Amino acid sequence: MPLTFEWLTMVVIPAVAILLVIFVVWQHRLQQQQIRQLAERIAGVSAQQPNQSAELEELRSGVIGVGQRILQLEQALQTIEFNQQALASELEQLTEHQQKIQLFDPDSRLYSRAVKMVQLGAGLEEVMRECELPRAEAELLINLHRQQTS
């Protein structure tokens, strides 16, 4: 049986058309299935979106709070450092003032010398004579020194 053009047109063309229709239907079903899967994923993501938005807002407000707290702590640290510097300066001035008072107060020098003599073991008469202190003051220094060492 020779293949004629008529036979080809009557058998092959309808067969190709049927195959093409089957292919189109199959492709359509695949696309429908993919569309369904995408719709399910979109629905799942949409359901999660309010939770994620709330979490994001919570994180955002937390970060803002942390930033503000850091700024407050930095300002407090600067204030503390400033106060520390001021106190150090004041302490230095007081120390200098105390040294000046000790240098210019002759009585203070005498008492310092008397205390050193007592610490070295000088007697009552020697402290009175060398530091020109009255007996009562010399006795008081000796008694105080003995209380501190015992």
Side-chain angles (χ1 to χ4, degrees), residues 44-80:
V45 168
S46 294
Q48 291 176 352
Q49 193 226 356
N51 292 339
Q52 291 175 344
S53 294
E55 288 177 14
L56 179 62
E57 187 59 34
E58 192 175 314
L59 285 172
R60 187 177 302 146
S61 65
V63 167
I64 290 171
V66 168
Q68 290 173 345
R69 183 68 179 143
I70 288 173
L71 288 175
Q72 289 173 347
L73 290 173
E74 285 177 346
Q75 289 172 349
L77 181 61
Q78 288 175 351
T79 302
I80 289 170

PDB file of all heavy atoms in Angstrom, residues 44-80:
ATOM      1  N   GLY A  44      -0.388  30.771  52.548  1.00  0.00           N
ATOM      2  CA  GLY A  44       0.441  30.511  53.732  1.00  0.00           C
ATOM      3  C   GLY A  44       1.270  31.721  54.110  1.00  0.00           C
ATOM      4  O   GLY A  44       1.360  32.100  55.282  1.00  0.00           O
ATOM      5  N   VAL A  45       1.865  32.347  53.120  1.00  0.00           N
ATOM      6  CA  VAL A  45       2.679  33.541  53.379  1.00  0.00           C
ATOM      7  C   VAL A  45       1.789  34.681  53.875  1.00  0.00           C
ATOM      8  O   VAL A  45       2.152  35.414  54.797  1.00  0.00           O
ATOM      9  CB  VAL A  45       3.470  33.948  52.111  1.00  0.00           C
ATOM     10  CG1 VAL A  45       4.087  35.323  52.254  1.00  0.00           C
ATOM     11  CG2 VAL A  45       4.542  32.915  51.808  1.00  0.00           C
ATOM     12  N   SER A  46       0.624  34.815  53.287  1.00  0.00           N
ATOM     13  CA  SER A  46      -0.307  35.864  53.716  1.00  0.00           C
ATOM     14  C   SER A  46      -0.759  35.637  55.149  1.00  0.00           C
ATOM     15  O   SER A  46      -0.951  36.594  55.900  1.00  0.00           O
ATOM     16  CB  SER A  46      -1.523  35.911  52.794  1.00  0.00           C
ATOM     17  OG  SER A  46      -1.128  36.311  51.499  1.00  0.00           O
ATOM     18  N   ALA A  47      -0.941  34.374  55.517  1.00  0.00           N
ATOM     19  CA  ALA A  47      -1.343  34.077  56.893  1.00  0.00           C
ATOM     20  C   ALA A  47      -0.219  34.403  57.873  1.00  0.00           C
ATOM     21  O   ALA A  47      -0.470  34.801  59.006  1.00  0.00           O
ATOM     22  CB  ALA A  47      -1.745  32.610  57.020  1.00  0.00           C
ATOM     23  N   GLN A  48       1.017  34.244  57.441  1.00  0.00           N
ATOM     24  CA  GLN A  48       2.162  34.524  58.315  1.00  0.00           C
ATOM     25  C   GLN A  48       2.490  36.011  58.360  1.00  0.00           C
ATOM     26  O   GLN A  48       3.147  36.477  59.289  1.00  0.00           O
ATOM     27  CB  GLN A  48       3.399  33.762  57.834  1.00  0.00           C
ATOM     28  CG  GLN A  48       3.305  32.270  58.011  1.00  0.00           C
ATOM     29  CD  GLN A  48       4.526  31.562  57.431  1.00  0.00           C
ATOM     30  OE1 GLN A  48       5.356  32.180  56.777  1.00  0.00           O
ATOM     31  NE2 GLN A  48       4.617  30.270  57.669  1.00  0.00           N
ATOM     32  N   GLN A  49       2.046  36.771  57.389  1.00  0.00           N
ATOM     33  CA  GLN A  49       2.419  38.180  57.292  1.00  0.00           C
ATOM     34  C   GLN A  49       2.034  38.993  58.510  1.00  0.00           C
ATOM     35  O   GLN A  49       2.859  39.777  58.985  1.00  0.00           O
ATOM     36  CB  GLN A  49       1.835  38.779  56.019  1.00  0.00           C
ATOM     37  CG  GLN A  49       2.445  40.131  55.707  1.00  0.00           C
ATOM     38  CD  GLN A  49       1.409  41.156  55.341  1.00  0.00           C
ATOM     39  OE1 GLN A  49       0.235  40.855  55.240  1.00  0.00           O
ATOM     40  NE2 GLN A  49       1.863  42.380  55.153  1.00  0.00           N
ATOM     41  N   PRO A  50       0.825  38.867  59.091  1.00  0.00           N
ATOM     42  CA  PRO A  50       0.529  39.672  60.291  1.00  0.00           C
ATOM     43  C   PRO A  50       1.469  39.358  61.452  1.00  0.00           C
ATOM     44  O   PRO A  50       1.914  40.269  62.149  1.00  0.00           O
ATOM     45  CB  PRO A  50      -0.918  39.287  60.632  1.00  0.00           C
ATOM     46  CG  PRO A  50      -1.492  38.780  59.356  1.00  0.00           C
ATOM     47  CD  PRO A  50      -0.358  38.148  58.623  1.00  0.00           C
ATOM     48  N   ASN A  51       1.793  38.074  61.633  1.00  0.00           N
ATOM     49  CA  ASN A  51       2.726  37.703  62.706  1.00  0.00           C
ATOM     50  C   ASN A  51       4.104  38.296  62.446  1.00  0.00           C
ATOM     51  O   ASN A  51       4.747  38.829  63.355  1.00  0.00           O
ATOM     52  CB  ASN A  51       2.833  36.184  62.842  1.00  0.00           C
ATOM     53  CG  ASN A  51       1.558  35.554  63.362  1.00  0.00           C
ATOM     54  OD1 ASN A  51       0.733  36.216  63.975  1.00  0.00           O
ATOM     55  ND2 ASN A  51       1.388  34.279  63.110  1.00  0.00           N
ATOM     56  N   GLN A  52       4.540  38.195  61.211  1.00  0.00           N
ATOM     57  CA  GLN A  52       5.860  38.718  60.878  1.00  0.00           C
ATOM     58  C   GLN A  52       5.887  40.238  60.970  1.00  0.00           C
ATOM     59  O   GLN A  52       6.877  40.825  61.395  1.00  0.00           O
ATOM     60  CB  GLN A  52       6.286  38.243  59.488  1.00  0.00           C
ATOM     61  CG  GLN A  52       6.572  36.755  59.449  1.00  0.00           C
ATOM     62  CD  GLN A  52       6.874  36.251  58.049  1.00  0.00           C
ATOM     63  OE1 GLN A  52       6.603  36.926  57.070  1.00  0.00           O
ATOM     64  NE2 GLN A  52       7.436  35.060  57.978  1.00  0.00           N
ATOM     65  N   SER A  53       4.783  40.885  60.598  1.00  0.00           N
ATOM     66  CA  SER A  53       4.717  42.347  60.714  1.00  0.00           C
ATOM     67  C   SER A  53       4.786  42.758  62.176  1.00  0.00           C
ATOM     68  O   SER A  53       5.466  43.725  62.523  1.00  0.00           O
ATOM     69  CB  SER A  53       3.425  42.865  60.088  1.00  0.00           C
ATOM     70  OG  SER A  53       3.431  42.645  58.701  1.00  0.00           O
ATOM     71  N   ALA A  54       4.074  42.002  63.024  1.00  0.00           N
ATOM     72  CA  ALA A  54       4.100  42.314  64.459  1.00  0.00           C
ATOM     73  C   ALA A  54       5.504  42.096  65.027  1.00  0.00           C
ATOM     74  O   ALA A  54       5.995  42.909  65.809  1.00  0.00           O
ATOM     75  CB  ALA A  54       3.091  41.447  65.205  1.00  0.00           C
ATOM     76  N   GLU A  55       6.158  41.010  64.618  1.00  0.00           N
ATOM     77  CA  GLU A  55       7.524  40.738  65.091  1.00  0.00           C
ATOM     78  C   GLU A  55       8.481  41.820  64.612  1.00  0.00           C
ATOM     79  O   GLU A  55       9.348  42.277  65.365  1.00  0.00           O
ATOM     80  CB  GLU A  55       7.990  39.370  64.605  1.00  0.00           C
ATOM     81  CG  GLU A  55       7.322  38.200  65.291  1.00  0.00           C
ATOM     82  CD  GLU A  55       7.753  36.856  64.730  1.00  0.00           C
ATOM     83  OE1 GLU A  55       8.759  36.808  63.988  1.00  0.00           O
ATOM     84  OE2 GLU A  55       7.087  35.868  65.031  1.00  0.00           O
ATOM     85  N   LEU A  56       8.307  42.233  63.362  1.00  0.00           N
ATOM     86  CA  LEU A  56       9.167  43.284  62.818  1.00  0.00           C
ATOM     87  C   LEU A  56       8.970  44.585  63.572  1.00  0.00           C
ATOM     88  O   LEU A  56       9.934  45.273  63.916  1.00  0.00           O
ATOM     89  CB  LEU A  56       8.875  43.484  61.326  1.00  0.00           C
ATOM     90  CG  LEU A  56       9.679  44.567  60.616  1.00  0.00           C
ATOM     91  CD1 LEU A  56      11.168  44.241  60.656  1.00  0.00           C
ATOM     92  CD2 LEU A  56       9.203  44.727  59.192  1.00  0.00           C
ATOM     93  N   GLU A  57       7.728  44.925  63.863  1.00  0.00           N
ATOM     94  CA  GLU A  57       7.446  46.151  64.616  1.00  0.00           C
ATOM     95  C   GLU A  57       8.032  46.069  66.020  1.00  0.00           C
ATOM     96  O   GLU A  57       8.574  47.039  66.538  1.00  0.00           O
ATOM     97  CB  GLU A  57       5.932  46.387  64.680  1.00  0.00           C
ATOM     98  CG  GLU A  57       5.558  47.709  65.294  1.00  0.00           C
ATOM     99  CD  GLU A  57       6.140  48.899  64.552  1.00  0.00           C
ATOM    100  OE1 GLU A  57       6.269  48.847  63.312  1.00  0.00           O
ATOM    101  OE2 GLU A  57       6.484  49.885  65.218  1.00  0.00           O
ATOM    102  N   GLU A  58       7.940  44.894  66.617  1.00  0.00           N
ATOM    103  CA  GLU A  58       8.503  44.696  67.957  1.00  0.00           C
ATOM    104  C   GLU A  58      10.022  44.862  67.937  1.00  0.00           C
ATOM    105  O   GLU A  58      10.598  45.522  68.803  1.00  0.00           O
ATOM    106  CB  GLU A  58       8.128  43.293  68.442  1.00  0.00           C
ATOM    107  CG  GLU A  58       8.390  43.039  69.900  1.00  0.00           C
ATOM    108  CD  GLU A  58       7.886  41.667  70.321  1.00  0.00           C
ATOM    109  OE1 GLU A  58       6.760  41.308  69.968  1.00  0.00           O
ATOM    110  OE2 GLU A  58       8.650  40.965  71.000  1.00  0.00           O
ATOM    111  N   LEU A  59      10.661  44.267  66.936  1.00  0.00           N
ATOM    112  CA  LEU A  59      12.114  44.421  66.802  1.00  0.00           C
ATOM    113  C   LEU A  59      12.486  45.880  66.560  1.00  0.00           C
ATOM    114  O   LEU A  59      13.443  46.396  67.145  1.00  0.00           O
ATOM    115  CB  LEU A  59      12.636  43.557  65.648  1.00  0.00           C
ATOM    116  CG  LEU A  59      12.729  42.066  65.920  1.00  0.00           C
ATOM    117  CD1 LEU A  59      13.071  41.323  64.636  1.00  0.00           C
ATOM    118  CD2 LEU A  59      13.756  41.770  66.983  1.00  0.00           C
ATOM    119  N   ARG A  60      11.721  46.545  65.702  1.00  0.00           N
ATOM    120  CA  ARG A  60      12.013  47.940  65.378  1.00  0.00           C
ATOM    121  C   ARG A  60      11.906  48.803  66.632  1.00  0.00           C
ATOM    122  O   ARG A  60      12.772  49.616  66.912  1.00  0.00           O
ATOM    123  CB  ARG A  60      11.042  48.435  64.309  1.00  0.00           C
ATOM    124  CG  ARG A  60      11.373  49.822  63.796  1.00  0.00           C
ATOM    125  CD  ARG A  60      10.446  50.269  62.687  1.00  0.00           C
ATOM    126  NE  ARG A  60      10.501  49.325  61.587  1.00  0.00           N
ATOM    127  CZ  ARG A  60       9.461  49.025  60.818  1.00  0.00           C
ATOM    128  NH1 ARG A  60       8.308  49.589  61.011  1.00  0.00           N
ATOM    129  NH2 ARG A  60       9.585  48.158  59.844  1.00  0.00           N
ATOM    130  N   SER A  61      10.845  48.618  67.405  1.00  0.00           N
ATOM    131  CA  SER A  61      10.688  49.424  68.620  1.00  0.00           C
ATOM    132  C   SER A  61      11.764  49.070  69.644  1.00  0.00           C
ATOM    133  O   SER A  61      12.245  49.941  70.372  1.00  0.00           O
ATOM    134  CB  SER A  61       9.298  49.233  69.212  1.00  0.00           C
ATOM    135  OG  SER A  61       9.121  47.899  69.647  1.00  0.00           O
ATOM    136  N   GLY A  62      12.172  47.793  69.689  1.00  0.00           N
ATOM    137  CA  GLY A  62      13.242  47.401  70.602  1.00  0.00           C
ATOM    138  C   GLY A  62      14.562  48.041  70.227  1.00  0.00           C
ATOM    139  O   GLY A  62      15.302  48.513  71.088  1.00  0.00           O
ATOM    140  N   VAL A  63      14.842  48.089  68.940  1.00  0.00           N
ATOM    141  CA  VAL A  63      16.094  48.694  68.474  1.00  0.00           C
ATOM    142  C   VAL A  63      16.088  50.189  68.767  1.00  0.00           C
ATOM    143  O   VAL A  63      17.080  50.756  69.203  1.00  0.00           O
ATOM    144  CB  VAL A  63      16.296  48.422  66.959  1.00  0.00           C
ATOM    145  CG1 VAL A  63      17.397  49.276  66.388  1.00  0.00           C
ATOM    146  CG2 VAL A  63      16.596  46.954  66.737  1.00  0.00           C
ATOM    147  N   ILE A  64      14.952  50.822  68.565  1.00  0.00           N
ATOM    148  CA  ILE A  64      14.859  52.253  68.867  1.00  0.00           C
ATOM    149  C   ILE A  64      15.077  52.477  70.357  1.00  0.00           C
ATOM    150  O   ILE A  64      15.803  53.380  70.766  1.00  0.00           O
ATOM    151  CB  ILE A  64      13.493  52.816  68.409  1.00  0.00           C
ATOM    152  CG1 ILE A  64      13.441  52.845  66.887  1.00  0.00           C
ATOM    153  CG2 ILE A  64      13.262  54.209  68.972  1.00  0.00           C
ATOM    154  CD1 ILE A  64      12.069  53.172  66.317  1.00  0.00           C
ATOM    155  N   GLY A  65      14.467  51.624  71.189  1.00  0.00           N
ATOM    156  CA  GLY A  65      14.654  51.747  72.638  1.00  0.00           C
ATOM    157  C   GLY A  65      16.100  51.555  73.048  1.00  0.00           C
ATOM    158  O   GLY A  65      16.616  52.270  73.903  1.00  0.00           O
ATOM    159  N   VAL A  66      16.775  50.589  72.418  1.00  0.00           N
ATOM    160  CA  VAL A  66      18.185  50.338  72.745  1.00  0.00           C
ATOM    161  C   VAL A  66      19.036  51.542  72.350  1.00  0.00           C
ATOM    162  O   VAL A  66      19.905  51.971  73.099  1.00  0.00           O
ATOM    163  CB  VAL A  66      18.682  49.045  72.043  1.00  0.00           C
ATOM    164  CG1 VAL A  66      20.188  48.924  72.120  1.00  0.00           C
ATOM    165  CG2 VAL A  66      18.017  47.827  72.662  1.00  0.00           C
ATOM    166  N   GLY A  67      18.755  52.106  71.187  1.00  0.00           N
ATOM    167  CA  GLY A  67      19.510  53.282  70.749  1.00  0.00           C
ATOM    168  C   GLY A  67      19.337  54.455  71.700  1.00  0.00           C
ATOM    169  O   GLY A  67      20.299  55.133  72.042  1.00  0.00           O
ATOM    170  N   GLN A  68      18.100  54.667  72.133  1.00  0.00           N
ATOM    171  CA  GLN A  68      17.855  55.758  73.076  1.00  0.00           C
ATOM    172  C   GLN A  68      18.552  55.488  74.401  1.00  0.00           C
ATOM    173  O   GLN A  68      19.117  56.395  75.007  1.00  0.00           O
ATOM    174  CB  GLN A  68      16.347  55.927  73.296  1.00  0.00           C
ATOM    175  CG  GLN A  68      15.625  56.485  72.083  1.00  0.00           C
ATOM    176  CD  GLN A  68      14.113  56.480  72.251  1.00  0.00           C
ATOM    177  OE1 GLN A  68      13.575  55.835  73.133  1.00  0.00           O
ATOM    178  NE2 GLN A  68      13.424  57.210  71.379  1.00  0.00           N
ATOM    179  N   ARG A  69      18.530  54.248  74.853  1.00  0.00           N
ATOM    180  CA  ARG A  69      19.183  53.901  76.124  1.00  0.00           C
ATOM    181  C   ARG A  69      20.698  54.105  76.012  1.00  0.00           C
ATOM    182  O   ARG A  69      21.328  54.594  76.954  1.00  0.00           O
ATOM    183  CB  ARG A  69      18.858  52.450  76.493  1.00  0.00           C
ATOM    184  CG  ARG A  69      19.416  52.017  77.810  1.00  0.00           C
ATOM    185  CD  ARG A  69      18.745  52.735  78.960  1.00  0.00           C
ATOM    186  NE  ARG A  69      19.305  52.260  80.209  1.00  0.00           N
ATOM    187  CZ  ARG A  69      19.527  53.001  81.244  1.00  0.00           C
ATOM    188  NH1 ARG A  69      19.179  54.272  81.239  1.00  0.00           N
ATOM    189  NH2 ARG A  69      20.063  52.506  82.330  1.00  0.00           N
ATOM    190  N   ILE A  70      21.272  53.759  74.864  1.00  0.00           N
ATOM    191  CA  ILE A  70      22.714  53.960  74.662  1.00  0.00           C
ATOM    192  C   ILE A  70      23.039  55.450  74.730  1.00  0.00           C
ATOM    193  O   ILE A  70      24.026  55.858  75.354  1.00  0.00           O
ATOM    194  CB  ILE A  70      23.172  53.341  73.325  1.00  0.00           C
ATOM    195  CG1 ILE A  70      23.173  51.817  73.441  1.00  0.00           C
ATOM    196  CG2 ILE A  70      24.548  53.852  72.918  1.00  0.00           C
ATOM    197  CD1 ILE A  70      23.453  51.105  72.139  1.00  0.00           C
ATOM    198  N   LEU A  71      22.212  56.272  74.098  1.00  0.00           N
ATOM    199  CA  LEU A  71      22.450  57.723  74.154  1.00  0.00           C
ATOM    200  C   LEU A  71      22.371  58.243  75.585  1.00  0.00           C
ATOM    201  O   LEU A  71      23.197  59.058  76.008  1.00  0.00           O
ATOM    202  CB  LEU A  71      21.432  58.454  73.269  1.00  0.00           C
ATOM    203  CG  LEU A  71      21.621  58.310  71.764  1.00  0.00           C
ATOM    204  CD1 LEU A  71      20.475  58.995  71.016  1.00  0.00           C
ATOM    205  CD2 LEU A  71      22.956  58.883  71.330  1.00  0.00           C
ATOM    206  N   GLN A  72      21.383  57.747  76.351  1.00  0.00           N
ATOM    207  CA  GLN A  72      21.258  58.167  77.748  1.00  0.00           C
ATOM    208  C   GLN A  72      22.492  57.758  78.550  1.00  0.00           C
ATOM    209  O   GLN A  72      23.014  58.539  79.359  1.00  0.00           O
ATOM    210  CB  GLN A  72      20.012  57.551  78.381  1.00  0.00           C
ATOM    211  CG  GLN A  72      18.707  58.126  77.874  1.00  0.00           C
ATOM    212  CD  GLN A  72      17.502  57.366  78.405  1.00  0.00           C
ATOM    213  OE1 GLN A  72      17.629  56.282  78.950  1.00  0.00           O
ATOM    214  NE2 GLN A  72      16.324  57.948  78.226  1.00  0.00           N
ATOM    215  N   LEU A  73      22.951  56.523  78.328  1.00  0.00           N
ATOM    216  CA  LEU A  73      24.127  56.043  79.065  1.00  0.00           C
ATOM    217  C   LEU A  73      25.381  56.826  78.679  1.00  0.00           C
ATOM    218  O   LEU A  73      26.215  57.120  79.540  1.00  0.00           O
ATOM    219  CB  LEU A  73      24.325  54.547  78.826  1.00  0.00           C
ATOM    220  CG  LEU A  73      23.283  53.635  79.464  1.00  0.00           C
ATOM    221  CD1 LEU A  73      23.486  52.191  79.029  1.00  0.00           C
ATOM    222  CD2 LEU A  73      23.316  53.735  80.976  1.00  0.00           C
ATOM    223  N   GLU A  74      25.512  57.171  77.401  1.00  0.00           N
ATOM    224  CA  GLU A  74      26.663  57.962  76.979  1.00  0.00           C
ATOM    225  C   GLU A  74      26.634  59.345  77.637  1.00  0.00           C
ATOM    226  O   GLU A  74      27.666  59.853  78.075  1.00  0.00           O
ATOM    227  CB  GLU A  74      26.686  58.100  75.454  1.00  0.00           C
ATOM    228  CG  GLU A  74      27.124  56.844  74.735  1.00  0.00           C
ATOM    229  CD  GLU A  74      27.066  56.965  73.222  1.00  0.00           C
ATOM    230  OE1 GLU A  74      26.438  57.934  72.708  1.00  0.00           O
ATOM    231  OE2 GLU A  74      27.634  56.094  72.554  1.00  0.00           O
ATOM    232  N   GLN A  75      25.452  59.948  77.711  1.00  0.00           N
ATOM    233  CA  GLN A  75      25.337  61.256  78.359  1.00  0.00           C
ATOM    234  C   GLN A  75      25.655  61.146  79.849  1.00  0.00           C
ATOM    235  O   GLN A  75      26.342  62.011  80.411  1.00  0.00           O
ATOM    236  CB  GLN A  75      23.932  61.821  78.157  1.00  0.00           C
ATOM    237  CG  GLN A  75      23.664  62.249  76.730  1.00  0.00           C
ATOM    238  CD  GLN A  75      22.208  62.627  76.488  1.00  0.00           C
ATOM    239  OE1 GLN A  75      21.350  62.378  77.321  1.00  0.00           O
ATOM    240  NE2 GLN A  75      21.936  63.232  75.340  1.00  0.00           N
ATOM    241  N   ALA A  76      25.166  60.077  80.492  1.00  0.00           N
ATOM    242  CA  ALA A  76      25.455  59.884  81.918  1.00  0.00           C
ATOM    243  C   ALA A  76      26.951  59.680  82.125  1.00  0.00           C
ATOM    244  O   ALA A  76      27.531  60.216  83.084  1.00  0.00           O
ATOM    245  CB  ALA A  76      24.666  58.692  82.460  1.00  0.00           C
ATOM    246  N   LEU A  77      27.585  58.928  81.232  1.00  0.00           N
ATOM    247  CA  LEU A  77      29.026  58.703  81.339  1.00  0.00           C
ATOM    248  C   LEU A  77      29.795  60.005  81.181  1.00  0.00           C
ATOM    249  O   LEU A  77      30.748  60.257  81.922  1.00  0.00           O
ATOM    250  CB  LEU A  77      29.472  57.684  80.281  1.00  0.00           C
ATOM    251  CG  LEU A  77      30.943  57.315  80.269  1.00  0.00           C
ATOM    252  CD1 LEU A  77      31.351  56.675  81.597  1.00  0.00           C
ATOM    253  CD2 LEU A  77      31.255  56.375  79.123  1.00  0.00           C
ATOM    254  N   GLN A  78      29.373  60.847  80.246  1.00  0.00           N
ATOM    255  CA  GLN A  78      30.037  62.142  80.073  1.00  0.00           C
ATOM    256  C   GLN A  78      29.876  63.005  81.317  1.00  0.00           C
ATOM    257  O   GLN A  78      30.823  63.675  81.743  1.00  0.00           O
ATOM    258  CB  GLN A  78      29.461  62.867  78.855  1.00  0.00           C
ATOM    259  CG  GLN A  78      29.878  62.266  77.537  1.00  0.00           C
ATOM    260  CD  GLN A  78      29.189  62.934  76.353  1.00  0.00           C
ATOM    261  OE1 GLN A  78      28.271  63.734  76.515  1.00  0.00           O
ATOM    262  NE2 GLN A  78      29.630  62.600  75.143  1.00  0.00           N
ATOM    263  N   THR A  79      28.693  62.965  81.918  1.00  0.00           N
ATOM    264  CA  THR A  79      28.462  63.738  83.142  1.00  0.00           C
ATOM    265  C   THR A  79      29.348  63.222  84.265  1.00  0.00           C
ATOM    266  O   THR A  79      29.956  64.012  85.003  1.00  0.00           O
ATOM    267  CB  THR A  79      26.975  63.632  83.555  1.00  0.00           C
ATOM    268  OG1 THR A  79      26.176  64.107  82.478  1.00  0.00           O
ATOM    269  CG2 THR A  79      26.693  64.434  84.798  1.00  0.00           C
ATOM    270  N   ILE A  80      29.448  61.907  84.386  1.00  0.00           N
ATOM    271  CA  ILE A  80      30.290  61.312  85.435  1.00  0.00           C
ATOM    272  C   ILE A  80      31.753  61.685  85.213  1.00  0.00           C
ATOM    273  O   ILE A  80      32.459  62.052  86.159  1.00  0.00           O
ATOM    274  CB  ILE A  80      30.105  59.780  85.466  1.00  0.00           C
ATOM    275  CG1 ILE A  80      28.715  59.436  86.020  1.00  0.00           C
ATOM    276  CG2 ILE A  80      31.187  59.103  86.298  1.00  0.00           C
ATOM    277  CD1 ILE A  80      28.339  57.978  85.880  1.00  0.00           C
TER     278      ILE A  80
END
